[in-house]
Amino acid sequence: MQDEPTPIELTKSVADFLRNDITPLISGHQAFKLRVAINILDLVTRQLTQEEGSDAREVERLRALLGIDGSVMELNRALAERIAKGEVDLATPGLAEHLWATTMDKLAVDQPSYASYKRELSRGG
Amino acid sequence: MIQAQLSRSVVRWCEGATGVTRAAKLSGGASQETWRFDIMHPDGPIGAILRRSPKGYGAAPTRAAGLAAEAQLMQLAYEAGVPSPRVMHVLVPEDDLGTGFIMQRVEGETIARKILRDEDYAAARPHLARQLGGILAGLHGLPQDRLPELRYMTATKEISEFERDYRSLNWPKPVFELALRWLRDHDPGPAAETTLVHGDFRNGNLIIGADGVRAVLDWELAHLGDPMEDLGWVCVNSWRFGEIDKPVGGFGSREELFAGYEAAGRRVEPARVKFWEVMGTLRWGIMCGGMMQRFREGPDHSMERAMIGRRASETEIDLLRLLAPRGS
């Protein structure tokens, strides 16, 4: 077992340093790059915070949907294959709900300010 | 230096020109190199733009029409009254500038978010959706016997290419699978009328001024195919830049776009437009994956590329909104 602080705390401390202490010192194209860098660290922090829980829920749904067990990657491959073959489609009970839940969890990490996401979130997640 | 090369070039073909000044590389346009400069002339400086093919970059080469074709199309559009920059010179080997062309610079804004939010464009914005319809009608009506050699694309071919690109990423995306399946099931077949298709007609590739659209840019993905493809692509949510209730580039409604198109004497097929909007949404999602690949494999190991890879999920939520909308 590794010691503290956690990766989440460490990454966040770098992002905060860049945001608060370095941003005021930089301009032009480098300022743009710095903003991208901070966005990356924020994304990593969100993923480290949320991935474990969202993956567990995703695996749970996929097991119910597919009737098989496996890792989150294996189960996604299996689902992708079944959709490609036409064995599973939007008429399959639970598929739309699963895809929506999974996609909302992805956006929560990738782009929580994306307008479509915010709209769907306001509908109740 | 490029300024010296440009100076030697312009004196050869621009009468009265004495050289160039203020050459500067423009940011943006990841797949082509673009420079701005002024031609020094006794009647006053002439603003110009150089587009040339970069070394080692380029959009998916099989899809690009090539800079020579791009120059020809822009000139043809300009002559037909479709807002377009005037092409001044197509590069020749003596120019020592690579391949590409030089065009007259059109002043205005291309950054989508500024166009959608700045006060300068507030008066133009309500008219843009309809104006874009008229422009597309003009573009689709360009005389086919004068077009350069272009690839011919159908929905069926495009779906196969997307599927291949997506599978090459080797990362399962059930929403993309669903979209591919939907596209195959709803493939409308070849269009009744084949026309020139711009291929990347969207907010971000237009020069806008206070008076509206001044130029259509980025013709590199031009091809022959279903004209409804352009109408669908301009509606893809990724090009609304947050104005998600205004499907046409964040400017206005589909009805306005269609009205502008039909007022110019062409017919809209809304079901095909919807099909191409789904196709376009998936297309951008797969392109995001391609950016990630380029980042990982080295040619452009930048943070920006890396982050675009993480924007594929934006197209997944948009695909779900199109294909499996939740009760409002």
Side-chain angles (χ1 to χ4, degrees), chain A residues 71-112:
Chain A
S71 69
V72 71
M73 175 62 96
E74 288 160 355
L75 291 169
N76 268 296
R77 283 199 192 284
L79 176 60
E81 222 167 275
R82 287 196 198 180
I83 294 173
K85 285 184 184 154
E87 295 168 5
V88 169
D89 61 24
L90 286 171
T92 307
L95 180 71
E97 292 78 2
H98 165 72
L99 294 178
W100 267 109
T102 305
T103 303
M104 292 300 280
D105 284 343
K106 287 172 84 164
L107 267 297
V109 168
D110 287 346
Q111 304 291 344

Side-chain angles (χ1 to χ4, degrees), chain B residues 168-179:
Chain B
S168 81
L169 296 170
N170 192 28
W171 191 266
K173 286 180 182 288
V175 176
F176 281 11
E177 297 283 0
L178 193 73

Side-chain angles (χ1 to χ4, degrees), chain B residues 1-10 12-13 20 23 33 35 37 49-55 67 89-102:
Chain B
M1 245 317 295
I2 194 148
Q3 194 143 311
Q5 290 160 333
L6 283 168
S7 289
R8 279 197 297 276
S9 173
V10 297
R12 276 202 297 271
W13 49 263
V20 312
E33 218 174 75
W35 295 75
F37 60 97
I49 295 282
L50 164 72
R51 294 259 289 157
R52 67 170 184 174
S53 93
K55 282 132 199 141
L67 283 166
H89 176 68
V90 176
L91 297 181
V92 291
E94 301 94 281
D95 291 316
D96 195 24
L97 284 161
T99 55
F101 60 93
I102 290 165

